[in-house]
Amino acid sequence: MNRRYKVKHYRSRIYNPIKGKIIKTVAIILASAVLFAVGWFAYEPLMQAVNEKNKEIIEKDPVPAKPQEPAYEPLPEEFLEKETVAVTVPEEFLYSSINFYTFLKSLDEEVTAVVLDMKTRQGTVTYTSDQVSVINAGAVHEEAMDIDKRIKTAKDMGFDVVTRIFAFEDSTAPYNADDMAIRYESEDGVLWLDDSVDNGGKPWLNPYSDTAQKYVLDIVFDAIDSGADAILLDGMRFPENEGMDYAYFGAGAEDISKGDILSRFAQRIYSSAVLTDTDIIIAYDAFAVVDGSDIYGTLPTEFIADGYAPCMDFNAFVGEKFGNDYRFRQLPEDLAEMISAIYDSLGGIAGLKLMPVLECDGFEKSDFASVIDYIMGKGAAGYAFIYNEAFFTGIPEEPLPEENLPAEPQQPQIPYVPQQPQQPEPEPEEEPEEENGSTNYWSGEEEKNPGVTIRDYTEGD
């Protein structure tokens, strides 16, 4: 039987469901087409309006700019990377700020650095220190300088600063702290002297003594804290003469060689400064090394350090035979050949940073021209002169004004009260010598600790 459509009467029309769906679909398509057309024609003006609005917002509240990366700043040049011309400051110019300032102003323009002694060859400590070991050693100068202020003054005037410290070559501290001195023959022995009393024999600090090492190391710490660019460590050596047979360095010293004990101490010094900006430069007597002396126990260039300073007093070479049978008879004609012989005789210096220290007493600047050309041609980091007034410009006759310098501490003024003249005290009677041959020694006007007994090797047993 044929299926018949349902007939729905709607407003006098017959409703066909399939036809209705078709119509609805067509209507949706037409509506979408209309909306698409409207969107197509409205897109450009709409986006233009949006962009204008965004521009207005940005102008009123701009997006923060991307932070600029800091400009690259090169690391400061290390001291031993520079071509240095240094001059030692005589001790007498250290204790007054105006004298120090005047000295610096007197130097030639070629000078780029100054060498300040913090502990002299005689053992005088030239600066004030809070270190207990330094205070107890009793070697601080009565007019000791403020090392921080001296270094600041020098740097403000454009100089690099090298502080020089004499380590075990010290004839002052042993009299006040004999526990760190070389003894005569035994632990209980009196102070050992490097020559007879009549010949000006002097005591030395004992490189095997932990107390002596701590004393020197504390001065090194002070130099680092003061901001020195480099430390010139001199006097890192033993005495040299026949009297060494009587020198006693402590129990067990015979098991450690001279070279080993100095190498270990150099390691301590280097370790104290390795993380700082201060370079350690070990100074040594070039003539003694070339001549085969055993005062270092080994080549001092084997001690760990940032650089090395062969100290050259050319007058010491005249008439002497050394190295490969070199002999020099006159100066300054032999200077250029002499410096070449010194370098050749030392050997093994390739790659080392050297800053020779030159003794200029008795010379003119022109005498050193070929020497300087040679050492700089060998790659030296520079050189230092032991100051000689005639060699440089010289100290001005009139002192320069002391501008912007730290004021020296003023001593309180004590009103003068006239005193009645007193009768001179009778001179004390001379003390008899002890039976064992030891003597209590006071030299000249400078009194030594009367509780310290000394003995030199010429007195015999």
Side-chain angles (χ1 to χ4, degrees):
M1 182 175 179
N2 294 332
R3 184 176 180 181
R4 298 178 62 89
Y5 293 109
K6 286 186 178 181
V7 178
K8 182 178 180 181
H9 296 277
Y10 185 75
R11 292 184 183 180
S12 305
R13 291 185 181 180
I14 298 174
Y15 178 75
N16 188 328
I18 296 176
K19 183 178 180 180
K21 290 181 180 180
I22 294 173
I23 295 173
K24 184 183 292 186
T25 301
V26 171
I28 292 173
I29 292 173
L30 291 176
S32 298
V34 171
L35 290 175
F36 178 79
V38 172
W40 176 265
F41 292 107
Y43 173 78
E44 185 173 352
L46 181 63
M47 289 305 298
Q48 185 175 358
V50 171
N51 289 339
E52 290 293 333
K53 187 64 176 177
N54 288 340
K55 182 178 179 181
E56 181 181 350
I57 293 173
I58 291 173
E59 289 177 351
K60 291 182 178 179
D61 188 17
V63 177
K66 183 179 180 181
Q68 296 291 329
E69 295 184 0
Y72 171 74
E73 295 183 2
L75 294 175
E77 190 176 15
E78 294 184 7
F79 176 77
L80 286 172
E81 299 296 332
K82 304 176 182 179
E83 291 188 0
T84 296
V85 180
V87 174
T88 58
V89 180
E91 186 181 346
E92 60 266 26
F93 295 109
L94 292 177
Y95 302 121
S96 164
S97 59
I98 190 169
N99 288 345
F100 180 69
Y101 176 79
T102 303
F103 174 82
L104 297 183
K105 291 292 289 185
S106 76
L107 295 176
D108 294 344
E109 293 181 356
E110 67 190 39
V111 177
T112 64
V114 289
V115 181
L116 279 60
D117 281 335
M118 292 181 65
K119 180 170 177 282
T120 68
R121 186 184 301 275
Q122 293 73 31
T124 302
V125 175
T126 64
Y127 72 102
T128 55
S129 174
D130 295 329
Q131 301 279 8
V132 174
S133 64
V134 177
I135 297 171
N136 290 343
V140 178
H141 194 277
E142 59 183 4
E143 298 178 358
M145 64 176 169
D146 185 324
I147 187 64
D148 293 342
K149 291 182 179 180
R150 294 294 182 271
I151 290 179
K152 183 179 186 304
T153 297
K155 290 191 173 184
D156 286 347
M157 295 177 68
F159 295 100
D160 290 325
V161 178
V162 180
T163 54
R164 181 167 60 172
I165 299 170
F166 282 84
F168 304 112
E169 190 174 0
D170 183 328
S171 56
T172 301
Y175 285 110
N176 302 311
D178 56 2
D179 60 323
M180 55 185 181
I182 299 174
R183 313 296 294 187
Y184 189 89
E185 289 192 328
S186 70
E187 187 72 37
D188 298 327
V190 295
L191 287 182
W192 175 89
L193 300 184
D194 61 2
D195 205 338
S196 66
V197 173
D198 294 338
N199 290 335
K202 58 186 182 297
W204 283 63
L205 292 180
N206 181 2
Y208 288 90
S209 166
D210 289 337
T211 308
Q213 289 195 14
K214 174 66 164 54
Y215 173 50
V216 177
L217 191 61
D218 283 344
I219 297 176
V220 170
F221 285 141
D222 282 344
I224 294 171
D225 291 341
S226 70
D229 295 291
I231 295 173
L232 188 64
L233 192 64
D234 210 332
M236 274 275 293
R237 49 162 289 191
F238 285 81
E240 180 183 37
N241 55 31
E242 61 272 20
M244 285 291 287
D245 293 338
Y246 299 92
Y248 179 77
F249 297 101
E254 64 276 5
D255 298 329
I256 306 174
S257 69
K258 294 178 183 179
D260 284 344
I261 197 65
L262 292 179
S263 293
R264 294 179 187 182
F265 183 61
Q267 176 69 62
R268 293 184 68 184
I269 297 292
Y270 183 79
S271 298
S272 69
V274 68
L275 296 180
T276 72
D277 295 328
T278 303
D279 288 331
I280 301 298
I281 305 172
I282 292 182
Y284 59 92
D285 185 340
F287 176 74
V289 172
V290 170
D291 199 41
S293 171
D294 192 40
I295 58 177
Y296 300 102
T298 184
L299 275 178
T301 50
E302 294 183 4
F303 302 153
I304 185 169
D306 295 295
Y308 304 88
C311 300
M312 303 176 185
D313 180 358
F314 295 106
N315 290 292
F317 289 82
V318 177
E320 298 287 344
K321 182 183 292 186
F322 66 95
N324 297 322
D325 292 331
Y326 288 105
R327 186 188 295 274
F328 301 96
R329 302 187 181 280
Q330 58 182 340
L331 296 176
E333 286 78 3
D334 291 331
L335 278 180
E337 184 181 355
M338 186 179 298
I339 188 70
S340 176
I342 291 172
Y343 268 61
D344 293 344
S345 299
L346 289 176
I349 62 174
L352 297 180
K353 292 182 179 178
L354 299 180
M355 192 182 77
V357 177
L358 309 174
E359 176 63 64
C360 59
D361 189 26
F363 296 96
E364 300 293 335
K365 282 187 178 180
S366 58
D367 299 334
F368 279 94
S370 57
V371 173
I372 292 171
D373 287 343
Y374 183 87
I375 62 178
M376 297 307 290
K378 285 286 189 178
Y383 49 93
F385 286 115
I386 304 298
Y387 180 78
N388 173 20
E389 185 173 346
F391 192 87
F392 293 92
T393 304
I395 303 300
E397 294 181 1
E398 296 294 331
L400 299 174
E402 188 171 11
E403 300 176 355
N404 302 323
L405 291 179
E408 294 286 347
Q410 299 295 323
Q411 297 295 329
Q413 299 295 322
I414 302 175
Y416 171 72
V417 179
Q419 300 291 330
Q420 295 294 328
Q422 298 181 357
Q423 297 294 327
E425 297 182 1
E427 295 184 1
E429 296 181 1
E430 185 177 356
E431 296 185 9
E433 293 187 356
E434 299 180 6
E435 295 182 359
N436 61 2
S438 299
T439 59
N440 289 327
Y441 173 51
W442 293 266
S443 173
E445 297 180 356
E446 182 181 1
E447 289 191 358
K448 303 301 180 184
N449 187 339
V452 175
T453 308
I454 66 169
R455 186 172 183 179
D456 67 66
Y457 67 89
T458 61
E459 295 179 2
D461 294 328

